[in-house]
Amino acid sequence: MELKGTIQDVIYKNEVNGYTIATFEMESADTTIVGYLPFIQKGDSLKIIGKFVTHPDYGDQFKVETFEKIMPETLDALEKYLANGVIKGIGPATAKKIIKKFGASTVEVLKANPEELTAIKGITEKKAKEISESFIENWELWQIVGFLEKFGIGPQSAQNVYKKLGANTINLIQENPYILSELGVRVDFAQIDKMALDLGVERNNLQRMAAGIRHGLLLATYNGHTCVLESNLITFVTGLLKVSEEDVLYAIKDMMSKEQIKIEEREEIATVDGKTELQIREWVYLMDYYKTELNIARQIHGLEQASNIKRIANFNSELEKVEKSSNLKLSDKQKEAIKLINENNVCIITGGPGTGKTTIIKTIIDIYKSKGKKVVLCAPTGRAAKRMTEATGEEAKTLHRLLEIGKVFEEKPDPDMDVTPIDGDVVVIDEISMVDIFLMNYVVKALFKGTKLVLVGDTDQLPSVGPGCVLKDFIDSKQIPCVKLNKIFRQAMQSKIIVNSHKVNEGINFLEEKEENKNELNDFIFEEERNSAEIVNKILKEYSLDKQIITPSKKGDLGTKNLNKLIQEKFNPLNVMKNEKKFGEVIFREGDKVMQTKNNYDIMWRRDSEISSGIFNGEMGIIEKINDNLGEIKIKFDDEKVAFYGFQDLDQLEHSYAITVHKSQGSEFSEVIFPVYQAAPMLLTRNLLYTGMTRAKDKLIMIGNPYTVQFMINNEKIKKRNSGLKYKLESI
């Protein structure tokens, strides 16, 4: 349905994404319209396309799918538009004078003959020019939505495009439509390519070829790779663009000459016709990814080769003192790890739960602090840093906070970006398996030569969300001293959570093992259930607000979206005493458990007398208050921070009664409910099962199908990530 009218009033507008609720005045009647309406103001005339819907709380509304700004069709409407403050230099009084003076010729005067405006008292030549320029700029904004909509790009993406390209957006896109693929907006490559071809771009145009190559490389990075075999890239791009191999090879050479991509030749063992042989293979990188890997390798070697100026003399006797004062009995492997730290500038300590990693960290802190040296503790996420603080009694920071990398890093990782140097003698990073190449690069750039770097993690957990496999490459290169802790300590042996998670890593099905020892802590329960509806029922029966549900997927009956909805309905239902706010399809209610889903460096928070900013991906809390009058939600986070979110920020939150295994990484919860069920095979892996199990500290309740457990244990194929960090570490 198509409607024409004028924006009478803007009830709500999200300045970030353009989502708007407004009163729309038409000749026949007024109505409420909702949708993504960037660039609109009170007084604007629009042609809108969409449909009427009935909201359960707010009644009939017109849901806008797309829109076009049109010139006001009456002088009264034009006056309202000019008076709304959007045109620089025109207010209500001046708008009235302009309409009275020029009438139906007003638009022509504003666009083409601004000098005529000087006939109105108070408008100088300079002011007339400014008014005209402002009017034309806003006129161009009107065209952007309509221009992009023709190519399947909706209003929400149109606003993002304008923010990055400015008022000259249409001309820039017409000159090179593929510029859209470099902006990170929600536009798929097929849409951009169709736009370009419709505008007359030749199939083998160099800009088109380069965009296709870049698109192929970026798709690979979304799956964790940092590079792609040249032969595979050529096959992908020829199929994507319907061009010849010669065209793609020519474009690759052109991009190399412009230093947009890099080809790395490596001598590698390959299998050909059933035989293994050495081959030279060409790996293609986007330049930033190549430079990042190279920087890491060079910096790591530089740290290793620097003088060991932080080494403590008579270390064995210092270690004995700490053992006695702390009443510790360290294992030989733990002592080996601690001594390795003293003898080397860079080292890795890896092992599963219960193998003594935390004891090593605490011992290192005690030894080096006793000698007046500063130990810096950090982790990749807020929850991991909090856990590190609780385990050691010393403050641990997130890497983002420590390095002060903030928004710039979020928008576009830059391998050459300056970072805040780390002031410390020994830097210990926990949960290193979660760190991708860009974050690792910033860490090593921030370290002074001679600083000790201790990397602590578990190689059997899920890899980083971002590109690369840093910990695996470090270990496989054999260029960094490493100790693998494989002994479970006696106290930890009492825990079936720890024992069974180690069995999973060894490929042993704990469900088939005979009960040799009593589960002294009574901390592990497996409830067999094959039917997904019954698994849901058992979760609802077992759940309480002090438990955390961790599940493999977001989708399906046992995914986070459905479980969060069901848990909210049962444990925090509709209540006239509790305020709530509907955002999209989600209802946020006072008392809800929620999680921040992306890093926000601007949001302010208070904790007692401390005031600061920044809430980060994975931080969880409780909604304490929803204030409709102020348009804000008060959230108290697990670490006692209190923050206020405007309603426009609710796209950063989701319920966290249930979270995915990936989101849980780096966290530890007292009690966990972990459903195991049939899902996409790519999710049902040994390391996902292991990661989920090891999130529970005191009690783990697994509910599900024993055949799925067996499948996950057998499925040890971790999706191989293509990277060149190991090669660079070995060859530098």
Side-chain angles (χ1 to χ4, degrees):
M1 183 181 289
E2 180 182 300
L3 304 177
K4 281 186 179 182
T6 303
I7 299 293
Q8 190 178 43
D9 191 24
V10 176
I11 300 168
Y12 166 77
K13 185 171 186 180
N14 184 327
E15 296 297 339
V16 176
N17 61 23
Y19 185 81
T20 304
I21 303 171
T23 304
F24 195 61
E25 182 182 24
M26 300 174 288
E27 284 187 14
S28 56
D30 294 350
T31 189
T32 300
I33 63 173
V34 297
Y36 293 101
L37 300 164
F39 320 128
I40 71 108
Q41 307 285 341
K42 179 180 177 181
D44 284 352
S45 294
L46 306 180
K47 179 173 72 176
I48 57 177
I49 297 171
K51 60 185 177 182
F52 278 104
V53 296
T54 302
H55 190 281
D57 297 325
Y58 306 117
D60 291 342
Q61 300 176 335
F62 190 84
K63 188 174 183 180
V64 180
E65 292 175 4
T66 188
F67 75 97
E68 180 183 340
K69 280 195 178 186
I70 56 177
M71 266 299 160
E73 295 179 344
T74 67
L75 291 179
D76 183 52
L78 181 57
E79 183 181 330
K80 283 183 181 178
Y81 169 69
L82 294 176
N84 71 7
V86 72
I87 306 300
K88 186 178 178 183
I90 300 181
T94 305
K96 186 178 288 293
K97 291 176 184 176
I98 291 174
I99 295 297
K100 185 177 179 180
K101 174 71 175 173
F102 300 107
S105 303
T106 297
V107 172
E108 183 65 22
V109 169
L110 290 168
K111 286 178 67 178
N113 305 305
E115 65 279 358
E116 293 185 26
L117 292 172
T118 58
I120 294 173
K121 188 177 179 181
I123 298 182
T124 62
E125 286 186 17
K126 181 180 179 183
K127 188 174 181 180
K129 185 179 178 184
E130 288 176 351
I131 289 172
S132 177
E133 288 173 350
S134 179
F135 182 85
I136 291 169
E137 181 179 340
N138 278 275
W139 174 266
E140 289 175 347
L141 282 183
W142 291 13
Q143 315 308 309
I144 291 171
V145 173
F147 173 78
L148 293 176
E149 197 274 332
K150 292 175 186 175
F151 302 100
I153 298 172
Q156 186 177 6
S157 292
Q159 170 148 318
N160 292 332
V161 170
Y162 173 72
K163 282 181 179 178
K164 297 184 178 184
L165 296 184
N168 200 30
T169 293
I170 293 176
N171 288 337
L172 289 171
I173 293 171
Q174 285 176 328
E175 290 171 6
N176 176 19
Y178 297 102
I179 195 173
L180 289 167
S181 66
E182 301 174 17
L183 300 181
V185 295
R186 293 181 184 178
V187 182
D188 68 35
F189 184 82
Q191 286 179 317
I192 298 170
D193 196 40
K194 183 179 183 303
M195 176 193 293
L197 294 172
D198 288 348
L199 289 171
V201 172
E202 296 290 333
R203 285 197 170 273
N204 63 351
N205 175 282
L206 265 179
Q207 287 181 334
R208 181 172 188 255
M209 310 291 291
I213 291 166
R214 178 180 170 79
H215 175 63
L217 291 171
L218 280 174
L219 281 181
T221 68
Y222 299 154
N223 289 313
H225 306 296
T226 63
C227 53
V228 177
L229 270 175
E230 185 182 38
S231 57
N232 292 346
L233 180 64
I234 291 170
T235 300
F236 174 82
V237 177
T238 54
L240 177 73
L241 302 181
K242 304 296 186 288
V243 292
S244 70
E245 287 191 12
E246 289 74 16
D247 287 333
V248 179
L249 282 167
Y250 182 78
I252 286 174
K253 289 178 181 176
D254 183 67
M255 292 179 77
M256 286 177 62
S257 69
K258 296 173 180 174
E259 297 189 346
Q260 295 170 343
I261 62 174
K262 175 75 175 179
I263 293 183
E264 182 173 73
E265 293 186 348
R266 303 183 208 151
E267 190 175 53
E268 299 175 331
I269 297 174
T271 302
V272 180
D273 298 328
K275 297 179 181 179
T276 57
E277 58 183 49
L278 280 175
Q279 282 188 347
I280 301 294
R281 302 211 286 179
E282 291 82 25
W283 293 90
V284 186
Y285 287 83
L286 288 167
M287 185 58 79
D288 283 351
Y289 289 76
Y290 177 81
K291 287 171 68 175
T292 298
E293 283 189 350
L294 189 62
N295 286 349
I296 293 171
R298 286 174 172 169
Q299 294 285 350
I300 286 290
H301 278 297
L303 288 168
E304 283 183 310
Q305 293 165 8
S307 299
N308 190 357
I309 57 176
K310 308 297 182 182
R311 183 179 182 277
I312 294 175
N314 303 316
F315 191 76
N316 289 340
S317 62
E318 297 297 331
L319 182 55
E320 287 175 12
K321 287 179 189 176
V322 170
E323 277 192 280
K324 286 179 183 177
S325 63
S326 304
N327 198 25
L328 286 174
K329 181 61 180 174
L330 298 169
S331 70
D332 290 342
K333 273 285 184 184
Q334 285 177 311
K335 288 180 181 178
E336 179 188 343
I338 293 165
K339 290 175 182 176
L340 197 73
I341 294 166
N342 191 51
E343 295 302 322
N344 297 275
N345 286 335
V346 185
C347 65
I348 298 168
I349 300 166
T350 180
T355 56
K357 298 192 298 293
T358 300
T359 301
I360 291 172
I361 295 172
K362 289 166 74 173
T363 305
I364 287 299
I365 293 169
D366 290 343
I367 291 175
Y368 283 89
K369 281 184 71 175
S370 72
K371 294 298 179 182
K373 298 190 184 298
K374 183 178 180 181
V375 180
V376 175
L377 305 180
C378 49
T381 67
R383 292 191 70 86
K386 180 188 175 188
R387 183 178 166 193
M388 198 178 189
T389 298
E390 291 169 348
T392 63
E394 300 285 334
E395 182 190 14
K397 292 183 177 180
T398 65
L399 287 169
H400 290 77
R401 178 72 71 187
L402 183 67
L403 299 168
E404 298 180 6
I405 50 183
K407 288 183 187 177
V408 178
F409 172 75
E410 290 297 311
E411 290 174 2
K412 188 179 185 297
D414 176 5
D416 298 321
M417 186 179 77
D418 291 330
V419 293
T420 302
I422 299 174
D423 177 23
D425 300 300
V426 182
V427 176
V428 182
I429 306 177
D430 200 9
E431 298 289 355
I432 190 66
S433 63
M434 299 177 69
V435 174
D436 64 24
I437 58 165
F438 288 109
L439 195 49
M440 192 68 230
N441 179 47
Y442 295 140
V443 168
V444 293
K445 284 183 68 175
L447 295 173
F448 294 106
K449 294 290 189 291
T451 300
K452 288 184 177 293
L453 177 62
V454 183
L455 306 174
V456 183
D458 187 344
T459 54
D460 297 311
Q461 286 194 32
L462 294 167
S464 60
V465 174
C469 39
V470 171
L471 179 58
K472 184 178 184 300
D473 282 349
F474 278 170
I475 294 172
D476 290 349
S477 74
K478 297 182 172 57
Q479 300 299 304
I480 302 173
C482 175
V483 170
K484 183 170 178 61
L485 306 169
N486 47 26
K487 176 188 173 184
I488 307 175
F489 283 86
R490 187 170 64 182
Q491 185 178 358
M493 284 291 289
Q494 297 173 12
S495 167
K496 281 295 179 184
I497 298 172
I498 292 175
V499 171
N500 287 342
S501 62
H502 279 272
K503 285 179 179 178
V504 166
N505 259 347
E506 294 164 13
I508 300 169
N509 189 341
F510 55 85
L511 296 177
E512 296 178 350
E513 290 283 292
K514 291 182 179 179
E515 190 71 30
E516 298 173 359
N517 302 310
K518 183 183 176 184
N519 185 359
E520 296 181 32
L521 300 180
N522 194 31
D523 65 346
F524 183 93
I525 297 169
F526 184 86
E527 296 186 21
E528 181 176 337
E529 185 52 66
R530 289 170 167 77
N531 181 279
S532 61
E534 286 304 313
I535 296 175
V536 170
N537 288 336
K538 287 193 172 185
I539 289 172
L540 293 174
K541 183 181 176 182
E542 292 283 357
Y543 183 78
S544 60
L545 292 174
D546 58 348
K547 293 182 173 73
Q548 180 62 53
I549 301 168
I550 295 175
T551 185
S553 175
K554 285 186 176 182
K555 299 177 181 178
D557 292 344
L558 289 156
T560 56
K561 290 185 178 180
N562 188 52
L563 288 176
N564 276 320
K565 184 179 178 183
L566 294 175
I567 294 291
Q568 184 195 44
E569 288 173 356
K570 181 174 180 179
F571 292 89
N572 192 29
L574 178 66
N575 186 329
V576 293
M577 302 301 292
K578 291 185 175 183
N579 293 327
E580 61 182 48
K581 173 65 181 174
K582 192 170 192 296
F583 189 83
E585 299 301 313
V586 178
I587 295 172
F588 292 105
R589 187 174 292 135
E590 291 172 353
D592 275 342
K593 287 177 68 174
V594 291
M595 173 188 281
Q596 175 78 11
T597 59
K598 62 182 180 181
N599 292 338
N600 184 329
Y601 296 85
D602 295 328
I603 199 160
M604 301 299 297
W605 55 260
R606 180 189 294 270
R607 181 168 49 209
D608 297 327
S609 60
E610 181 186 5
I611 298 174
S612 189
S613 64
I615 305 289
F616 300 103
N617 189 357
E619 293 197 56
M620 295 166 68
I622 303 289
I623 295 177
E624 290 195 331
K625 183 71 177 173
I626 297 177
N627 190 320
D628 278 316
N629 292 329
L630 297 176
E632 66 182 20
I633 291 182
K634 178 185 178 184
I635 299 174
K636 187 172 185 178
F637 287 90
D638 290 349
D639 59 358
E640 304 300 315
K641 293 197 299 276
V642 174
F644 290 88
Y645 284 66
F647 287 168
Q648 72 273 14
D649 297 321
L650 295 185
D651 59 338
Q652 302 175 32
L653 295 173
E654 61 185 32
H655 288 111
S656 61
Y657 300 107
I659 62 176
T660 62
V661 176
H662 283 83
K663 281 288 187 185
S664 74
Q665 195 166 356
S667 302
E668 187 176 67
F669 305 95
S670 178
E671 297 188 35
V672 167
I673 300 173
F674 184 15
V676 181
Y677 53 92
Q678 196 61 42
M682 62 183 290
L683 292 173
L684 302 181
T685 62
R686 182 185 292 182
N687 65 343
L688 185 136
L689 178 64
Y690 171 78
T691 301
M693 291 173 67
T694 53
R695 298 310 90 201
K697 181 181 180 183
D698 301 318
K699 190 167 188 176
L700 173 63
I701 301 170
M702 291 182 71
I703 307 171
N705 190 333
Y707 291 107
T708 304
V709 172
Q710 181 67 68
F711 179 88
M712 294 178 81
I713 291 170
N714 292 342
N715 185 14
E716 59 178 321
K717 293 180 181 176
I718 299 172
K719 193 172 181 182
K720 184 180 181 296
R721 291 188 169 191
N722 297 327
S723 75
L725 180 56
K726 171 179 175 287
Y727 171 79
K728 293 176 181 66
L729 285 163
E730 292 171 339
S731 57
I732 285 180

